[in-house]
Amino acid sequence: MIIDLDKKTHPFMSLSIKISTSPFGTMKERYIKRMRQMDSKSRIQTTLDAFNSIGATTDGMQRLAYTEEESRVHAVFSEFCVKENLQVRTDEAGNVIARREGRMKEAPAVAVGSHLDTVYSGGKYDGAGGVAAGIELIHRLNEKKVMTDYPIELIAFAGEESSRFGLATIGSKAMTGLLKAQDTKQFKDKDGISLETAMNTAGFPSSTLGQAVREKSAFHAFIELHIEQGRELERKGRKVAIATGIAAPTRLKVTVEGEAAHSGTTPMDIRRDALTSASRLVLDIEEAADQEKKYQTVATVGVFHVFPGAMNTIPGRVEFNVDIRGLDVSSKQRIIKAVKKKSRQLQTEKDVEVSFDLLRDEQPILLDENVQQLLAASCREVSVDPLFLPSGAGHDAMNMASICPTGLLFVPSYKGISHNPDEYTAAEDFVTGVDVLEQAVMKLAGAKEVKMSG
Ligand SMILES: [Zn+2]
């Protein structure tokens, strides 16, 4: 579906994008002139402000997957892209794909992009920052009249956040063939609306979802620029990080069975307290993860339930969940092994039963070494000393990595705050990110003729 900005082709009728055809050129020229008068920082800020004028609430940003807000922000994105002379289309999964042709026809694209949807009470930079960076990249190439061999694509992926349907990176999963039409029925939002229905309402029926799949041959490489959502860059005083991989979670449910008993009449030496044993295990998990620090593996207990949960009853059962993330599979396994060993000890010493259920065991995604090296070289060219980090969070890049060489660049997040209205990344930090991205894309896309416009 090619977006025709002169027609209301969008299913959400409240949406209208007005770019008049006459005087079309004049208006576009005015836009380009205005953008050229600005510096890179102001341009990025202008784009971000335009995105964040949609879905602003008293409690942060809210542009959930396949809602009117997401469609509206995609329309704003399309408008920026059209003004930068890109060919814009929306695919059958709702991803917006803006293309700048290269000299070689039919050549695979060098793609960049991120997402414009948010979580509930989200921030202004998660995803949106990367898309704004992509527009700035295109603006710079246009301004310098750079011609590339390979085409360049700027993609705004649909439905990256799992907040609405409990399923993350929906658009990039569809694009890479990892989401089938029948899968869209099982995911429902809190109002019971299925992903299938929501996509259908937004204009993307599941019957055509398969057409969003792109072949490996469509892409030469993909690079996503994203905010770090952690505080390593800030802690180390650096400006750019290159992700080495995406640390997929291994999740366990641990159940500790003791015996519920009267808290007043049961002497300390005969108790089978499930909570005190579970607490020891939680500390053991922390210690085991600490031992794996050099592999950057992390482990978290974020869910903890005590039964029966009464003031006057010794806890008879505790259930808790462990989330272990890292790029090194054996490092993750060592944590599990250490905790199981400790639990056998507890079973003997404290007379409790400990059982483990593996909820999820995903394979970490290692990002392309060559792209990492290319990004590192691009950093050096703009005098930036990059950090190499695993990404603890999932990104569209992990799906794209299944079909083409993929890179992931991080810029700093203030105090590591993310998925929160206080999320912040300075516009100048995005400028640095675009400086690196520009070098990398020029190399990947074969920018041979660079004529300065003067
Ligand atoms: Zn994101």
Side-chain angles (χ1 to χ4, degrees):
M1 166 174 37
I2 300 278
I3 288 192
D4 180 350
L5 292 173
D6 298 320
K7 262 195 265 160
K8 274 190 187 176
T9 49
H10 210 277
F12 290 115
M13 293 311 280
S14 62
L15 179 75
S16 67
I17 315 162
K18 292 188 190 75
I19 295 183
S20 51
T21 37
S22 87
F24 186 79
T26 314
M27 192 187 160
K28 212 164 173 178
E29 278 163 21
R30 275 207 307 273
Y31 163 86
I32 295 291
K33 197 176 162 203
R34 191 162 55 87
M35 284 303 199
R36 282 192 180 173
Q37 282 163 351
M38 290 184 198
D39 60 5
S40 189
K41 186 179 141 185
S42 319
R43 280 193 300 264
I44 291 169
Q45 194 59 56
T46 302
T47 314
L48 275 171
D49 289 347
F51 292 160
N52 289 315
S53 67
I54 294 157
T57 74
T58 51
D59 189 25
M61 303 309 304
Q62 189 168 309
R63 298 187 297 261
L64 299 176
Y66 300 103
T67 56
E68 185 178 338
E69 285 75 25
E70 190 187 42
S71 294
R72 284 171 58 205
V73 77
H74 280 177
V76 170
F77 167 68
S78 303
E79 203 175 332
F80 274 105
C81 292
V82 167
K83 286 174 180 167
E84 291 294 352
N85 279 325
L86 301 179
Q87 289 252 305
V88 186
R89 71 181 180 98
T90 300
D91 75 7
E92 293 76 5
N95 300 305
V96 186
I97 302 163
R99 190 171 162 104
R100 188 180 191 268
E101 286 302 337
R103 265 188 297 247
M104 298 193 301
K105 299 296 158 209
E106 314 288 319
V110 173
V112 297
S114 195
H115 61 98
L116 290 167
D117 65 315
T118 72
V119 297
Y120 291 101
S121 304
K124 293 179 173 173
Y125 306 90
D126 173 359
V131 179
I135 293 174
E136 171 61 13
L137 164 77
I138 300 292
H139 181 88
R140 290 185 188 185
L141 298 181
N142 288 347
E143 194 173 29
K144 293 174 191 166
K145 296 188 165 59
V146 171
M147 270 292 286
T148 55
D149 290 334
Y150 292 86
I152 294 171
E153 285 191 5
L154 168 56
I155 307 173
F157 291 102
E160 193 271 347
E161 301 288 359
S162 63
S163 308
R164 185 173 177 197
F165 296 104
L167 179 70
T169 62
I170 299 169
S172 55
K173 277 192 173 90
M175 188 182 283
T176 55
L178 299 169
L179 178 73
K180 303 280 178 250
Q182 64 267 26
D183 302 337
T184 61
K185 291 181 204 293
Q186 56 175 300
F187 298 97
K188 295 204 166 87
D189 70 6
K190 63 179 170 50
D191 299 318
I193 298 169
S194 69
L195 174 59
E196 182 184 43
T197 306
M199 288 182 82
N200 194 35
T201 310
F204 313 110
S206 58
S207 56
T208 54
L209 188 65
Q211 292 169 34
V213 178
R214 300 191 62 190
E215 298 302 322
K216 287 187 175 170
S217 57
F219 295 106
H220 185 47
F222 173 75
I223 301 174
E224 179 165 6
L225 186 148
H226 202 280
I227 59 167
E228 185 198 345
Q229 302 176 286
R231 55 203 313 181
E232 285 305 292
L233 282 171
E234 206 176 65
R235 274 199 341 176
K236 305 239 162 72
R238 306 280 189 93
K239 289 299 177 194
V240 172
I242 297 165
T244 49
I246 297 169
T250 295
R251 289 177 174 158
L252 301 168
K253 180 183 168 189
V254 183
T255 307
V256 181
E257 293 275 3
E259 190 174 42
H262 196 293
S263 70
T265 60
T266 317
M268 295 309 284
D269 59 337
I270 62 160
R271 292 182 178 209
R272 298 175 60 218
D273 187 330
L275 176 56
T276 53
S277 286
S279 307
R280 285 183 172 91
L281 272 182
V282 173
L283 296 177
D284 291 337
I285 290 163
E286 184 185 47
E287 201 191 301
D290 217 40
Q291 298 288 320
E292 299 297 323
K293 215 164 22 190
K294 70 168 180 228
Y295 300 98
Q296 294 168 302
T297 312
V298 292
T300 309
V301 175
V303 174
F304 198 92
H305 298 296
V306 182
F307 302 96
M311 191 82 163
N312 56 357
T313 307
I314 297 164
R317 184 165 46 109
V318 168
E319 293 172 3
F320 64 89
N321 291 359
V322 194
D323 174 290
I324 307 169
R325 298 189 193 216
L327 291 186
D328 190 308
V329 177
S330 35
S331 168
K332 291 205 293 183
Q333 288 306 322
R334 276 196 297 275
I335 295 178
I336 296 173
K337 228 172 133 183
V339 175
K340 285 192 171 166
K341 192 174 163 198
K342 292 279 187 183
S343 73
R344 282 194 293 274
Q345 223 172 304
L346 275 175
Q347 301 196 70
T348 329
E349 287 169 15
K350 300 286 174 187
D351 196 19
V352 290
E353 288 292 321
V354 186
S355 56
F356 294 85
D357 290 309
L358 188 64
L359 302 176
R360 262 170 92 178
D361 189 20
E362 291 182 14
Q363 288 301 306
I365 310 273
L366 298 177
L367 292 167
D368 190 272
E369 289 275 352
N370 292 331
V371 177
Q372 286 183 49
Q373 288 315 313
L374 178 102
L375 290 171
S378 305
C379 283
R380 286 193 293 274
E381 274 163 40
V382 295
S383 308
V384 169
D385 188 13
L387 207 60
F388 286 86
L389 286 180
S391 171
H395 292 288
D396 291 308
M398 69 190 179
N399 299 325
M400 293 303 283
S402 69
I403 61 165
C404 67
T406 293
L408 177 58
L409 273 181
F410 289 134
V411 291
S413 287
Y414 169 71
K415 286 186 176 170
I417 299 167
S418 189
H419 286 187
N420 183 309
D422 292 334
E423 181 180 275
Y424 177 72
T425 294
E428 42 275 82
D429 288 343
F430 283 115
V431 173
T432 309
V434 179
D435 291 345
V436 176
L437 190 65
E438 186 183 345
Q439 293 301 323
V441 168
M442 298 242 282
K443 279 195 272 281
L444 283 166
K448 285 174 192 149
E449 280 175 26
V450 183
K451 288 184 286 182
M452 296 300 289
S453 59

